[in-house]
Amino acid sequence: MPIRLAVPNEIVPGERRIALEPGIAKRLIDLGVEVCMEKGAALSAHFSDAAFEGVKIIDTPAELYKGAEIIFKVQPPTLEELDLIDDGAVIVGFMAPHKNEDVTQKMCEKHITALAMELVPRITRAQSMDALSSQAAIAGYKGVLMGADLASVFFPMLTTAAGTIRPARVLIIGAGVAGLQAIATAKRLGAIVEAYDVRSATREQCESLGAKFVDTGVSADGEGGYARELTEEEKQNQLDVLSKHVSQSDVVITTAAIPGRPSPKIISREMVANMKVGAVIVDLASEGGGNCELTVPGETIEFESRVTIHGPLNVASQTPVHASEMYARNLFNLMSPFIKDGELALDWNDEVLAKTVLTCEGEVKSERYRREEITK
Ligand code: NAD
């Protein structure tokens, strides 16, 4: 009997992505897998059932999960979904473990092997499996489009019969995966782009994409290429220099995150009050509370009818076709080395797999989870 892989409809409100796309379904079938998908599950990502050639379309979640040994998901399973999933199954998806302790606990009780995409180690070999990066790149792109839409100015310089229009000034704060994509997108739209990050290594990357790097004199290179938390004095120095640049910007896109910690507050109320009338902040760090003190995650607010502060959540889901394609490829790249002739054999000596596992054999396996490093 070939192994059965199930892909359900994502039930979290607003989630439009799906953990499969037709090309990946075909590659799984070629590996001897029986691929099953819930009826209509991919419609929100604009794929019809008919596009999934060779995939069994199943009417209800209960029938879908019955006998499924592997489940591909985007959002963490709910407790209700877990009731339908067989004991001992392998679930691959984002698990947001510290926000879902009851789910993690229940997965232990059901001896489920949970592979958490946020735990994929950031090593070169795992880049093709890194869903945090693939989805962050989409968010960076989309965040700039949101900013352009909310802005009261054009992004490009325009020379018209009615005179010349100055290009918009866009400041990107945080130059990780999302920030770099935001720089590239804002440049393509013709804006004058400035960028800032606490990690000094990002200067060259920002400049190579055409952004001017804002130098605050503060460097916060931390472990594994990530930022460390700043001291109070460093934070003040950073703020003093940044304030000036924020006040001159038409659009500010913030993407600054510290893995496992709430998003650092970089833009204060006072800085917002000093912004231009009609200026816009798109806070892509809203998921972790936001980089702006005034951000309300999930909402768009007006500060004194002068500045718009947009705090979008689950931004990647708003570009569901490509987000699903990239995400499904990430899952495939993670799992395919362990599927042969329709059988699954997980190799715990594999570094990527060993670090990605959250629960297995009735217990929490992830060291990073135990050390509470992961909150996003
Ligand atoms: P992230 O989402 O954790 O953070 C976004 C950016 O915010 C980072 O560049 C960080 O330095 C910056 N930041 C944090 N605090 C800040 C502050 N107070 N002020 C300004 N900026 C601040 O980061 P990410 O996008 O997931 O990636 C971080 C790094 O890891 C990047 O260099 C990326 O290229 C690297 N990476 C490597 C791999 C791999 O090798 N497999 C995969 C993904 C990312």
Side-chain angles (χ1 to χ4, degrees), residues 27-28 31 72 331-340:
R27 290 173 73 184
L28 286 164
L31 290 177
F72 275 10
L331 298 195
F332 180 84
N333 292 334
L334 175 69
M335 295 304 287
S336 58
F338 312 109
I339 303 173
K340 214 171 168 199

Coordinates of all heavy atoms in Angstrom, one line a residue, residues 27-28 31 72 331-340:
R27 N 4.7 15.6 -8.5 CA 6.0 15.0 -8.0 C 5.8 14.0 -6.9 O 6.6 13.1 -6.8 CB 6.9 16.2 -7.7 CG 7.4 17.0 -8.9 CD 8.1 18.2 -8.6 NE 9.5 17.9 -8.1 CZ 10.3 18.8 -7.7 NH1 10.0 20.1 -7.7 NH2 11.6 18.5 -7.3
L28 N 4.9 14.3 -6.0 CA 4.6 13.4 -4.9 C 4.1 12.0 -5.5 O 4.5 10.9 -5.0 CB 3.6 14.0 -3.9 CG 4.2 15.1 -3.0 CD1 3.0 15.9 -2.4 CD2 5.1 14.5 -2.0
L31 N 6.6 9.9 -6.7 CA 7.4 9.2 -5.7 C 6.6 8.0 -5.1 O 7.0 7.3 -4.2 CB 7.7 10.1 -4.5 CG 8.7 11.2 -4.8 CD1 8.9 12.1 -3.6 CD2 10.1 10.6 -5.2
F72 N 0.0 17.6 5.0 CA 0.6 18.9 4.7 C -0.4 20.0 5.1 O -1.5 20.0 4.6 CB 0.9 19.0 3.2 CG 2.2 18.3 2.8 CD1 2.9 17.5 3.6 CD2 2.7 18.5 1.5 CE1 4.1 16.9 3.2 CE2 3.9 18.0 1.0 CZ 4.6 17.2 1.9
L331 N 7.8 22.4 1.5 CA 7.4 21.1 2.2 C 7.9 19.9 1.4 O 8.4 19.0 2.0 CB 5.9 21.0 2.3 CG 5.1 22.0 3.1 CD1 3.7 21.5 3.4 CD2 5.7 22.4 4.4
F332 N 7.8 20.0 0.1 CA 8.3 18.9 -0.7 C 9.8 18.7 -0.5 O 10.3 17.6 -0.4 CB 7.9 19.1 -2.2 CG 8.4 18.0 -3.1 CD1 7.6 16.9 -3.3 CD2 9.6 18.1 -3.8 CE1 8.0 15.9 -4.1 CE2 10.1 17.1 -4.6 CZ 9.3 16.0 -4.8
N333 N 10.5 19.8 -0.6 CA 12.0 19.7 -0.5 C 12.4 19.1 0.9 O 13.4 18.4 1.0 CB 12.6 21.0 -0.7 CG 12.5 21.5 -2.1 OD1 12.4 20.7 -3.0 ND2 12.5 22.8 -2.3
L334 N 11.6 19.4 1.9 CA 11.9 18.9 3.3 C 11.6 17.4 3.3 O 12.4 16.6 3.9 CB 11.0 19.6 4.3 CG 11.1 19.1 5.7 CD1 12.5 19.4 6.3 CD2 10.0 19.7 6.6
M335 N 10.5 16.9 2.7 CA 10.0 15.6 2.9 C 10.5 14.6 1.9 O 10.6 13.4 2.2 CB 8.5 15.5 3.0 CG 7.9 16.3 4.2 SD 8.5 15.6 5.7 CE 7.7 14.1 5.8
S336 N 10.7 15.0 0.6 CA 10.9 14.1 -0.5 C 12.2 13.2 -0.2 O 12.2 12.0 -0.7 CB 11.0 14.8 -1.8 OG 12.0 15.7 -1.8
P337 N 13.2 13.7 0.4 CA 14.4 12.8 0.6 C 14.0 11.5 1.4 O 14.8 10.5 1.4 CB 15.4 13.6 1.4 CG 15.0 15.0 1.1 CD 13.5 15.0 1.0
F338 N 12.9 11.6 2.1 CA 12.5 10.4 3.0 C 11.4 9.6 2.5 O 10.8 8.8 3.2 CB 12.2 11.0 4.4 CG 13.2 12.0 4.9 CD1 13.0 13.3 5.0 CD2 14.5 11.5 5.3 CE1 13.9 14.2 5.5 CE2 15.5 12.4 5.7 CZ 15.2 13.7 5.8
I339 N 11.0 9.9 1.2 CA 10.0 9.1 0.6 C 10.6 8.3 -0.6 O 11.1 8.9 -1.5 CB 8.8 10.0 0.1 CG1 8.2 10.8 1.3 CG2 7.7 9.1 -0.5 CD1 7.2 11.8 0.8
K340 N 10.4 7.0 -0.5 CA 11.0 6.2 -1.6 C 10.0 5.1 -2.0 O 9.5 4.4 -1.0 CB 12.3 5.6 -1.2 CG 13.3 5.5 -2.3 CD 14.6 5.1 -1.9 CE 15.5 4.7 -3.1 NZ 16.6 4.0 -2.8

